[in-house]
Amino acid sequence: MSQRLTQFKEIASLSSEPIAKITADDLPPLPGIAQPPIPAPRQRWLDTYDFSLDGFSDFEIPAPKTDEDKRRLVEGFFRGLEKLFDPENNWTFVKAFRLSIDYCVRCQTCSDACHTYVGSGYQEIYRPTFRSEILRRIYQRYYTTSGKLLPAFYGADIEVNFKTVWRLLELAYRCNLCRRCVMMCPVGVDNALIAREIRKLFSQELGIAPVELLKKGTRQHLQTGSTTGMRPNAMKALVADMEDQIEEKIGRRIEIPVDKKGADILLIHNAGEFLAWPENPAAFAILFDAAGINWTLSSEMLGYDGVNYGVWFDDVELARVALRHLQIAKDLGVKKVVVGECGHAHKAMMVIADRVFPGELSTNALPRESCLPLLYQIAKSGKLKFDPTRNNFPITLHDSCNVVRLMGIVKPQREIIKLICAQPVREMAPHGVHNYCCGGGSGFAIMNSLNFAEWRKNVSSRMKVQQILAAFNDVLDPSINKYVIAACSNCKGTIRDAQAHYGLWDQHHIHYGGLVDLMVNAMAELPKPYLEWPE
Amino acid sequence: MPFLDYKGTQLEVDEDGFITEPSLWNEDLAKFIAETQEDIKELTPDHWKVINYLNNYYKQFGIAPMIRKVTKETGFDLKYIYELFPSGPAKGACKIAGLPKPTGCV
């Protein structure tokens, strides 16, 4: 049985013992999969860092030791909290944030909607409402008259000490920001936004954020041009490599347009694709070339890396990156920007940037679109001949939360599959706008410091692995290759890690990859298969 | 951050043993990391072929090359690279070649 917390007050415990313990036995079983053991953190880590939420952490930041350090952390937290509630300081999100703090009726309908809460074996601290309720009680206790006078009566009973602050930081990074709970909430409370705003408080006020997202994330993005560290000369070299690779695979050379002024479309990928899944941007190039689209990539710093990690934790970082993206598109004079297979780039460039930049950088003046409707247009245009029998293996479709739930793009990818695959898609349960997150959303896919990846693989990815196994229930035999379509870089990275962790390829021959990869694999004119299965 | 005791100085590495300041890298340090972190007692000319390719690529481009590129340029297949660097090209070879841990969505 999972540990039940009877009181929220445990968040303030001064002990370094975790207030919740995750053990392999508590986790819901995955049929046919032997649960790998969850290793304990190294002793050196326990001596140096803070694991007092649940025994996991991504923060290689020594926990505050001196009274002065502790006081500074608590004071910074209060300053940041005041700013979250202040329209001047938080004009971007104060309204939705404030409404979510004020209107939760504590019905807990959202809890069962959360893949992490369910996937953890119902750990109290992972309820979507848990961190929100703590923040709400802190605010009541320290900033409302009733809470100051009668804290116990108003439930404003949480003391803020450095442990409360640190555990709240960790808690903000136990939510994938997938917003499935928001859809289930009868009054529209956005607990994911509350988690995100807590992250923002820490980043903007205290400079505390996962190293992968800030120092090696947005800062490296702005300084080198990409969160991977890829500079423009590297991008150009990779494009040249990709042209060679394409020639080897399809038997003819195509030129990938770079910095083409006045092209109709600027295509922006997640730069991680160039390094980890180069067959994906290569597939886009093959398709666009064959369909006669007037398009270009950009080799400007940031113009070739469409990620925007600020969307997960920091408005200032978000705006800096988004501004560069939009300015590059404007300078190229393209008719529109098309975002490749990257979910959070969809959110950043289309949904949030439109909120942050009005006028000449708004979506009206500078259109940007998901790649999926365009790919559907290409698929049904008749310009390319597809042979679905080339994709004659069982497939399921993992929906990226930002694409389906946030933007409502559900049908194009399914219509494409009908045109390019021999077997009908095996829909996961649930799917579409009701999908479960892969477990890697909001930065978790790339957060690998200390033992955080263990948490992701065992807890937040769990329901997705269960869904994948269920979708292939009757064809699990490893003599049958199977493919999980995931049109999002971070979803792919997460599924790749889960695949290795649970032996999904070794035991069941379950592989994963993008949607465009399958489209190119179905192109009748190609001399040999485009898709490569693991060995 | 942990430190390695290298010739009487404290050298900062991350929790996975990657040096945090790539500009400090030199061939002697490579030997030291190979022996203390990766349990590779002697670096042969084939080791150096991979290490130097990785280090030069990183200096030129700021990233690690794709594995396909490494096998093509060195003429070694992946199996042989794993024989040279048992913990693999990314974790073992890149660490010895002084590259930082890969970042971004990779």
Side-chain angles (χ1 to χ4, degrees):
Chain A
M1 270 303 288
S2 65
Q3 188 188 352
R4 295 276 163 190
L5 293 183
T6 51
Q7 291 174 317
F8 291 102
K9 283 193 265 190
E10 288 178 46
I11 192 99
S13 161
L14 290 172
S15 161
S16 56
E17 276 299 300
I19 61 171
K21 288 204 178 76
I22 313 298
T23 64
D25 294 344
D26 286 334
L27 304 174
L30 296 169
I33 301 278
Q35 170 63 38
I38 305 175
R42 299 176 200 163
Q43 189 57 45
R44 212 193 75 75
W45 294 354
L46 289 169
D47 296 340
T48 315
Y49 308 112
D50 194 309
F51 290 85
S52 68
L53 178 71
D54 54 4
F56 296 91
S57 183
D58 181 74
F59 291 97
E60 285 182 21
I61 305 172
K65 290 273 185 297
T66 67
D67 287 348
E68 174 61 20
D69 287 348
K70 292 173 187 171
R71 190 181 56 79
R72 215 177 296 139
L73 181 68
V74 171
E75 283 178 4
F77 171 77
F78 278 124
R79 268 199 319 275
L81 185 61
E82 286 165 27
K83 287 181 186 171
L84 285 190
F85 283 89
D86 173 18
E88 288 267 304
N89 275 300
N90 191 13
W91 59 268
T92 40
F93 292 101
V94 71
K95 203 167 175 185
F97 172 69
R98 183 85 221 207
L99 288 169
S100 294
I101 289 287
D102 288 347
Y103 284 93
C104 175
V105 294
R106 299 165 177 82
C107 66
Q108 307 303 337
T109 305
C110 59
S111 293
D112 284 342
C114 176
H115 62 287
T116 292
Y117 175 62
V118 176
S120 72
Y122 304 98
Q123 285 281 350
E124 287 292 299
I125 63 163
Y126 303 145
R127 277 186 195 273
T129 54
F130 187 82
R131 73 182 71 73
S132 309
E133 183 63 19
I134 285 168
L135 197 73
R136 187 177 293 119
R137 289 182 183 212
I138 290 171
Y139 189 76
Q140 280 174 341
R141 173 166 175 155
Y142 293 92
Y143 294 98
T144 66
T145 314
S146 50
K148 280 180 195 167
L149 291 175
L150 290 167
F153 182 77
Y154 286 99
D157 50 2
I158 291 176
E159 187 199 333
V160 174
N161 59 39
F162 79 103
K163 279 300 214 190
T164 318
V165 174
W166 202 266
R167 287 196 184 96
L168 201 53
L169 165 69
E170 289 285 0
L171 262 182
Y173 287 94
R174 295 297 182 279
C175 164
N176 282 116
L177 312 185
C178 82
R179 300 178 76 248
R180 190 167 192 269
C181 59
V182 186
M183 210 170 53
M184 303 300 174
C185 175
V187 289
V189 163
D190 193 340
N191 282 304
L193 177 69
I194 294 177
R196 194 264 179 189
E197 294 297 278
I198 297 172
R199 297 177 181 194
K200 180 166 97 184
L201 181 170
F202 280 97
S203 182
Q204 293 187 187
E205 195 60 38
L206 289 153
I208 300 175
V211 64
E212 297 90 345
L213 307 192
L214 180 60
K215 188 177 170 203
K216 299 286 181 188
T218 52
R219 292 295 157 88
Q220 182 152 282
H221 200 178
L222 292 160
Q223 282 156 13
T224 68
S226 166
T227 59
T228 60
M230 185 192 299
R231 292 190 284 261
N233 67 333
M235 183 272 180
K236 286 180 191 159
L238 288 167
V239 167
D241 289 343
M242 208 189 297
E243 287 171 339
D244 293 344
Q245 196 61 38
I246 290 171
E247 190 174 3
E248 272 174 41
K249 287 190 102 163
I250 72 169
R252 67 185 173 87
R253 194 164 184 87
I254 62 171
E255 196 191 324
I256 297 178
V258 177
D259 302 325
K260 184 178 168 190
K261 287 250 178 200
D264 292 340
I265 287 171
L266 166 64
L267 176 65
I268 302 192
H269 294 293
N270 177 327
E273 297 284 349
F274 291 108
L275 299 172
W277 299 281
E279 62 282 1
N280 183 278
F284 270 99
I286 296 166
L287 281 173
F288 282 17
D289 182 74
I293 289 173
N294 179 15
W295 68 293
T296 188
L297 297 175
S298 164
S299 75
E300 288 285 321
M301 277 174 65
L302 283 91
Y304 50 85
D305 194 353
V307 305
N308 192 339
Y309 298 171
V311 81
W312 302 322
F313 74 100
D314 189 307
D315 289 352
V316 182
E317 300 293 303
L318 163 78
R320 283 174 176 151
V321 171
L323 187 60
R324 283 297 301 143
H325 283 151
L326 300 179
Q327 199 62 53
I328 287 165
K330 201 163 174 291
D331 292 347
L332 269 174
V334 292
K335 293 199 179 104
K336 65 183 174 191
V337 180
V338 168
V339 179
E341 295 190 354
C342 173
H344 88 273
H346 277 64
K347 176 176 188 168
M349 222 172 297
M350 285 168 254
V351 181
I352 307 293
D354 195 41
R355 199 184 169 105
V356 180
F357 301 115
E360 62 175 9
L361 295 180
S362 68
T363 315
N364 282 339
L366 186 62
R368 42 248 191 206
E369 291 175 5
S370 165
C371 61
L372 293 171
L374 176 63
L375 293 170
Y376 179 36
Q377 276 177 21
I378 294 173
K380 69 177 178 182
S381 68
K383 278 187 188 160
L384 283 69
K385 193 170 165 3
F386 292 108
D387 174 6
T389 62
R390 294 188 173 209
N391 288 327
N392 190 8
F393 38 80
I395 44 153
T396 187
L397 173 63
H398 163 67
D399 287 301
S400 156
C401 304
N402 286 313
V403 170
V404 288
R405 192 152 40 246
L406 185 72
M407 297 188 63
I409 303 169
V410 179
K411 199 177 161 195
Q413 56 274 50
R414 289 170 166 77
E415 293 299 321
I416 292 168
I417 292 169
K418 283 184 201 162
L419 295 167
I420 61 161
C421 292
Q423 303 185 19
V425 64
R426 295 160 168 264
E427 290 284 12
M428 295 190 195
H431 62 270
V433 294
H434 293 277
N435 81 320
Y436 282 136
C437 172
C438 61
S442 82
F444 294 2
I446 60 167
M447 286 164 57
N448 290 312
S449 297
L450 302 178
N451 64 350
F452 190 79
E454 288 294 330
W455 186 84
R456 175 185 71 239
K457 287 183 284 193
N458 288 298
V459 180
S460 65
S461 289
R462 197 166 199 86
M463 298 308 285
K464 184 51 62 183
V465 173
Q466 199 179 78
Q467 282 189 299
I468 291 171
L469 288 168
F472 293 132
N473 181 35
D474 58 326
V475 285
L476 283 173
D477 186 326
S479 67
I480 306 167
N481 285 349
K482 296 160 283 286
Y483 192 92
V484 182
I485 300 170
C488 166
S489 307
N490 281 345
C491 300
K492 277 194 293 199
T494 306
I495 294 170
R496 170 192 61 199
D497 291 357
Q499 181 193 37
H501 186 66
Y502 295 109
L504 298 183
W505 175 257
D506 295 344
Q507 283 187 58
H508 299 307
H509 274 214
I510 295 173
H511 197 44
Y512 70 92
L515 178 61
V516 283
D517 316 45
L518 277 194
M519 289 179 73
V520 172
N521 198 48
M523 282 171 68
E525 62 164 284
L526 299 194
K528 58 180 181 182
Y530 184 75
L531 208 60
E532 287 175 26
W533 298 90
E535 284 170 18
Chain B
M1 286 282 180
F3 292 88
L4 292 179
D5 191 8
Y6 172 61
K7 289 187 166 172
T9 58
Q10 295 288 298
L11 183 74
E12 194 178 55
V13 292
D14 69 16
E15 289 290 352
D16 295 312
F18 286 81
I19 58 172
T20 53
E21 190 41 74
S23 65
L24 295 176
W25 186 86
N26 58 48
E27 292 193 354
D28 188 61
L29 179 58
K31 286 181 204 160
F32 176 78
I33 296 172
E35 197 175 338
T36 57
Q37 305 288 299
E38 294 294 312
D39 205 23
I40 299 173
K41 296 283 178 267
E42 199 200 333
L43 293 176
T44 63
D46 282 358
H47 282 107
W48 282 112
K49 200 171 175 186
V50 177
I51 293 168
N52 287 328
Y53 178 69
L54 291 173
N55 188 266
N56 287 332
Y57 192 96
Y58 176 72
K59 278 187 186 138
Q60 193 182 352
F61 296 119
I63 49 172
M66 281 185 288
I67 189 67
R68 215 190 288 263
K69 195 89 180 151
V70 182
T71 54
K72 203 172 161 188
E73 298 291 326
T74 60
F76 302 153
D77 62 16
L78 194 55
K79 191 166 158 278
Y80 184 58
I81 292 177
Y82 267 93
E83 277 170 33
L84 292 172
F85 303 95
S87 56
K91 284 194 176 118
C94 283
K95 190 189 290 179
I96 296 169
L99 276 64
K101 204 163 36 179
T103 59
C105 298
V106 293

